[in-house]
Amino acid sequence: MSEREVILAISGLQTEFKSRGGSVRAVRDLNFNIAAGQTLALVGESGSGKSVTSLAIMGLLPQAGYIAAGSVLYKNRRGEQLDLVNQSAAQMRQIRGAEIAMIFQEPMTSLNPLFSIGDQIGEMLLLHTDLDATARAAKVIEMLELVEIPAAASRYHDYPHELSGGMRQRVMIAMAMILKPALLIADEPTTALDVTIQAQILDLMRRLQKELNMAILFITHDMGVVAEMADEVAVMYAGEIVEQAPVQQLFMRPSHPYTQGLLKSIPGAGGITRSEDGRLQAIPGSIPMLNAMPKGCSFGPRCAGFVSGCQDSVELAVTEPLHWVRCSEIGVNAHV
Amino acid sequence: MSEAFISVKNLSKGFTTSKGVVQAVRDVSFDIPRGSITGLVGESGSGKTTLGRAMLRLIEPSAGSISFDGIDLLDLDERQMRKMRKRMQIIFQDPYSSLNPRMRVLEILSEALIAHDIGANSTERKAICISLLEEVGLAAEHINRFPHEFSGGQRQRIGIARALAVEPDFLVADESVSALDVSVQAQILNLLRDLCTKRNLTMLFIAHDLSVVEYLCDQIIVLYLGRPVEIGSAEQVYQRSAHPYTQALLSAAPIPDPSKKRSRVVLKGDIPSPYNPPSGCAFRSRCQYAIADCGTELPVAVEVANRHFSFCKRTEIII
C-alpha cells in the first residue's frame, strides 16, 4: 500500500464458534490493512469466512462466536489507535455508525418496515449528534439528494416497501454515509440487484468514496465487481487468506490454484481461458465443512497440483512485491 | 437450425391484483429448434419466469398458443396435460427449498417415477435411481441420504436427476445456477451441457446472468417488461447486439479484468411499473435514442441479420 494513512490494521485475527463438538475455527491468521480512500476487496465463496470477518471487526459476532486471537486496530477521528477487540459494548456503539458504517446485501431485511426512510436515516443523527428535528430533517433530505434519490423531499415519508430494490440500497447507503464514516464495510451490497442497477450503485459508491476519502472493505464473491472496485484484493478460502495482491497483479498473475480456478470458472466475458472442448474449467468438489477441515492446506483435496507435502501447514509467502500466496507448491504449479 | 420443436405464438399472461392488471408477458412469439438451448434473459420483473412457467402450463396463459412437437398444449384437458408433463420438466433456482427435507434421495426420485408409471417394482425403480445419480455425478451410496446432507451443488444435481427421471424431451431451467458459488456453478453448467448433448434435450434456460447464458445457449431472447426486445444467436446478441437495452445490459455487467476500461451505457432510473408501462416501446423511458414516435406504436421486429431480430424503431440509427 502507498503512504496513505492506514485506517484499519488487522493482524493475526482468529475467530471461532462454539459448537456441540467443541470450538470450530471460522477465520484464522487474518492480516490486512486498509488506508483512507482505498478499497480492499475480500473475495470468497459461501463459507469462506468473509462475512464473519466483517462482523468480527464491527463487534457484531453472533453469540456463539468470539475472537480467539489477534487485533483489529482502528485509527479514530481524533487520531487515537483503538483495538476494537478490547472495546466495551458502549464504546463500540459510539464507533459503529459514526466511525465505521456497514451496508448489507438485502436492503429489505436491514430496513425497518414500520418506519419511514426519513426517520430511519435521521435516527443516526439523533443518536450521534445534538441536531434538532428540523436540522436533522434538512440533513436527511440533503443526504437523499446526494445518493441521487429523485424528488428527495417528497420521498422522506416513504416506507421501505414503497421503494424499488435499487432505491432501498440507496437509502441504506444514505444511512451509512450520513455521519461521514472513515471506514465503510460493504457486505455484498449489490448481489441482490439487477446488473443495470448494480452499475448505478457501484458508480455512486465510487463517487462518495472520493468525496469523503473513505476506506472501503468490500466483501463480494463476484470477480467482475472486484475488478471494478478494488485497489487491493484478498482471496479467502475456508477461513484463510490464500492470496493477496494489488488488483492488477491478482488478475494478471493469479498464483494460488484456488484463485486460478475461480477465474477460470467464470463463463464468458473477459477472455478467461476455457479448455479446448469449450467446457468451463470447474473446480471439482466443494468447500470443506468447518468441523471437517483437511490437514495442512485447506484447498488440498480440490487441488489438481496436490502432493503429499500439502498436508503440512502452510503460511503466506511473498511471490513478488505486495503479492502474497499461501501455497507450498508455488513455483511448481504457478501459472498453470 | 432444424425444425421448431416448440413454437410459442402471441403468448400473453396477465395477473389481476388489487392494484389492477399486470401484463407479465405480452404477446411473445418464438421457436425453439429440437435439441437446442434457448436462453431467456432479463432483469427482475421482465416476465422471464412467468413465460417459462406459462410454457409448461404451470401458469395458465391468458392468450396465445404453444405448440409442443406438433401438439397444441392449450387444447389439452387436464388429464392429457398430466401425461404431457412427462415430456417436460423444470429445474428450480433454490436447491434448498425445492427438495423435501424429510424424504431420502431414493424417495425424492422414486416419487417422479411412480407418478409417471416408470419401473415395474421398487427394485427396478431403485436401479433407475442409481443410474440417474451416476449420470448427474453423484454415487449410489448417496441414495439413502437426506437433502441436508448435501452441499448446494449436490442438491442441484439431485434436482436435475429428478427432472431427468421421467426422460423428458424438454427442460426448463429457471435460474438453476444463480444460487451457487462460481466454482460449483461451472460444474453444473458443464453437466447441463453434457446432458443436453447426450440425451438430445431441448432446453429453455432462464437467467439474469448474461455470461452464463452466453456460455450455454444457442439462441437468446432478451425480455424487457414482458416483451422481447432482441432475439438472435448467442454470438449475434453478444457480439453485435442491436437493441439499446441489450447494449446497456451487456455494458452494465462487470468484467473480471481490471485493465479493461469500458465505455458504459448507464441506464437512468428503474424498470417502470408493470401496472402502468410506457405506451409504445416499453423501454423508451430509459432509452437514449428514444424519439416521440417511440411512444405511439409498438415496435415491430426488424431483422438485422439472418434470424437476428431487434424490436426497435430506431434500428437503422443504432447499428
Side-chain angles (χ1 to χ4, degrees):
Chain A
M1 282 223 165
S2 59
E3 63 288 354
R4 285 161 176 272
E5 185 191 12
V6 171
I7 297 284
L8 185 76
I10 293 185
S11 54
L13 188 71
Q14 178 157 332
T15 310
E16 298 182 355
F17 281 83
K18 288 177 217 141
S19 76
R20 261 181 290 177
S23 281
V24 291
R25 207 175 53 204
V27 170
R28 79 167 277 269
D29 189 24
L30 199 76
N31 301 283
F32 61 76
N33 294 343
I34 311 179
Q38 296 280 301
T39 301
L40 175 91
L42 211 52
V43 198
E45 301 181 275
S46 9
S48 61
K50 51 194 198 307
S51 292
V52 169
T53 302
S54 68
L55 295 175
I57 296 169
M58 292 290 267
L60 291 173
L61 283 173
Q63 269 214 320
Y66 59 95
I67 293 172
S71 62
V72 179
L73 296 179
Y74 171 73
K75 192 181 262 176
N76 74 6
R77 287 220 176 86
R78 293 188 293 276
E80 300 159 344
Q81 191 91 270
L82 306 173
D83 188 348
L84 299 185
V85 175
N86 304 326
Q87 302 297 308
S88 69
Q91 285 168 316
M92 280 312 286
R93 269 198 298 278
Q94 286 305 310
I95 293 168
R96 277 197 296 265
E99 298 259 358
I100 306 178
M102 194 161 180
I103 50 179
F104 299 92
Q105 173 171 351
E106 204 359 278
M108 195 63 218
T109 53
S110 11
L111 289 170
N112 188 328
L114 300 177
F115 290 90
S116 74
I117 59 164
D119 284 349
Q120 293 190 60
I121 300 170
E123 191 186 11
M124 297 292 290
L125 298 168
L126 184 68
L127 292 173
H128 292 277
T129 69
D130 303 323
L131 297 176
D132 63 21
T134 332
R136 287 201 301 269
K139 205 127 198 248
V140 167
I141 290 169
E142 189 187 311
M143 202 63 215
L144 288 173
E145 278 163 2
L146 195 65
V147 297
E148 295 156 21
I149 288 183
S154 68
R155 287 292 195 181
Y156 185 99
H157 297 288
D158 278 6
Y159 287 86
H161 75 268
E162 296 176 276
L163 302 175
S164 67
M167 285 297 156
R168 281 183 211 134
Q169 201 55 292
R170 287 173 194 273
V171 169
M172 286 301 296
I173 292 173
M175 196 187 292
M177 302 286 191
I178 196 158
L179 296 168
K180 301 196 167 42
L183 171 67
L184 176 72
I185 299 177
D187 191 351
E188 304 265 11
T190 58
T191 306
L193 305 176
D194 284 317
V195 276
T196 59
I197 307 300
Q198 167 170 286
Q200 296 172 357
I201 298 289
L202 294 180
D203 276 354
L204 173 69
M205 288 181 69
R206 267 193 298 256
R207 206 194 77 212
L208 293 173
Q209 174 176 37
K210 220 180 232 169
E211 283 170 18
L212 301 173
N213 194 32
M214 182 173 58
I216 299 183
L217 175 63
F218 200 109
I219 296 171
T220 179
H221 69 281
D222 185 332
M223 288 305 243
V225 173
V226 171
E228 279 199 13
M229 295 297 286
D231 298 300
E232 189 170 6
V233 188
V235 181
M236 288 192 81
Y237 183 80
E240 293 174 327
I241 292 177
V242 293
E243 183 162 3
Q244 186 168 349
V247 67
Q248 298 276 358
Q249 275 165 249
L250 188 101
F251 280 88
M252 276 169 63
R253 291 183 292 281
S255 300
H256 194 282
Y258 175 65
T259 316
Q260 293 173 347
L262 206 55
L263 287 170
K264 283 182 189 154
S265 304
I266 305 169
I272 303 298
T273 47
R274 251 184 235 168
S275 64
E276 273 168 23
D277 55 359
R279 291 164 59 85
L280 292 170
Q281 297 189 19
I283 306 175
S286 49
I287 202 162
M289 306 289 277
L290 289 178
N291 56 9
M293 291 296 273
K295 243 176 91 182
C297 172
S298 49
F299 186 62
R302 299 176 73 188
C303 184
F306 178 81
V307 293
S308 59
C310 295
Q311 288 174 314
D312 301 330
S313 69
V314 50
E315 300 307 319
L316 277 173
V318 176
T319 59
E320 61 179 323
L322 304 173
H323 196 153
W324 295 76
V325 181
R326 190 187 297 273
C327 176
S328 55
E329 284 295 293
I330 212 75
V332 179
N333 56 20
H335 318 305
V336 278
Chain B
M1 294 238 178
S2 55
E3 98 285 19
F5 181 56
I6 294 166
S7 185
V8 173
K9 288 221 162 40
N10 309 105
L11 195 73
S12 295
K13 175 64 192 175
F15 293 102
T16 310
T17 72
S18 55
K19 282 195 270 179
V21 177
V22 185
Q23 284 298 334
V25 173
R26 301 187 288 165
D27 198 16
V28 178
S29 303
F30 62 91
D31 290 345
I32 307 181
R34 188 188 292 274
S36 73
I37 307 180
T38 291
L40 209 51
V41 197
E43 298 183 277
S44 19
S46 62
K48 51 192 194 303
T49 293
T50 306
L51 177 55
R53 294 191 181 179
M55 282 173 68
L56 303 180
R57 282 186 70 188
L58 293 173
I59 300 173
E60 210 54 39
S62 324
S65 72
I66 309 151
S67 154
F68 179 93
D69 201 10
I71 304 157
D72 192 336
L73 291 187
L74 297 181
D75 283 350
L76 303 181
D77 64 28
E78 214 171 296
R79 257 188 50 208
Q80 292 167 315
M81 193 59 217
R82 205 174 305 136
K83 269 198 176 140
M84 281 301 287
R85 289 245 158 74
K86 183 172 173 309
R87 301 184 59 189
M88 44 180 80
Q89 289 290 309
I90 184 163
I91 310 165
F92 297 98
Q93 169 170 4
D94 185 358
Y96 294 84
S97 58
S98 56
L99 299 175
N100 187 335
R102 313 184 101 184
M103 284 166 90
R104 294 174 193 275
V105 172
L106 177 64
E107 295 164 303
I108 290 170
L109 298 180
S110 301
E111 196 176 37
L113 297 174
I114 294 166
H116 290 285
D117 280 329
I118 302 169
N121 50 44
S122 61
T123 329
E124 213 169 284
R125 282 195 293 270
K126 191 172 175 184
I128 297 173
C129 292
I130 289 174
S131 84
L132 280 168
L133 283 179
E134 284 166 353
E135 192 175 355
V136 298
L138 294 169
E141 70 200 54
H142 290 127
I143 202 156
N144 285 320
R145 297 201 190 158
F146 289 98
H148 76 263
E149 297 176 75
F150 295 92
S151 68
Q154 288 173 321
R155 279 181 228 205
Q156 201 54 289
R157 288 175 195 271
I158 297 169
I160 294 170
R162 179 175 59 183
L164 294 178
V166 299
E167 309 213 348
D169 305 312
F170 178 51
L171 267 186
V172 174
D174 190 357
E175 298 274 13
S176 299
V177 298
S178 311
L180 305 174
D181 282 316
V182 260
S183 71
V184 177
Q185 173 179 298
Q187 297 170 4
I188 301 295
L189 288 174
N190 281 337
L191 174 67
L192 286 174
R193 224 168 101 134
D194 293 346
L195 289 170
C196 282
T197 316
K198 205 175 93 196
R199 290 174 165 248
N200 194 27
L201 283 170
T202 306
M203 184 154 85
L204 181 73
F205 188 87
I206 302 172
H208 69 280
D209 184 331
L210 294 149
S211 54
V212 167
V213 175
E214 182 192 16
Y215 165 72
L216 201 64
C217 299
D218 305 300
Q219 172 182 251
I220 288 169
I221 300 167
V222 184
L223 282 183
Y224 187 79
L225 271 179
R227 277 187 210 282
V229 294
E230 186 161 357
I231 301 180
S233 72
E235 206 221 336
Q236 286 167 336
V237 170
Y238 282 82
Q239 306 303 326
R240 294 183 294 281
S241 56
H243 196 280
Y245 176 64
T246 315
Q247 292 171 352
L249 205 57
L250 287 170
S251 87
I255 292 178
D257 184 350
S259 60
K260 267 195 188 143
K261 282 267 168 277
R262 290 183 305 149
S263 56
R264 170 173 280 169
V265 196
V266 174
L267 287 182
K268 294 267 172 254
D270 286 322
I271 196 164
S273 161
Y275 288 102
N276 187 18
S279 63
C281 171
F283 183 60
R284 69 186 166 89
S285 61
R286 300 168 82 192
C287 180
Q288 55 173 327
Y289 301 102
I291 50 172
D293 246 13
C294 296
T296 55
E297 54 192 282
L298 286 175
V300 290
V302 179
E303 188 162 13
V304 292
N306 181 34
R307 290 176 165 275
H308 179 192
F309 300 95
S310 179
F311 294 74
C312 177
K313 271 185 129 58
R314 306 269 286 159
T315 302
E316 275 168 38
I317 287 119
I318 293 161
I319 57 169

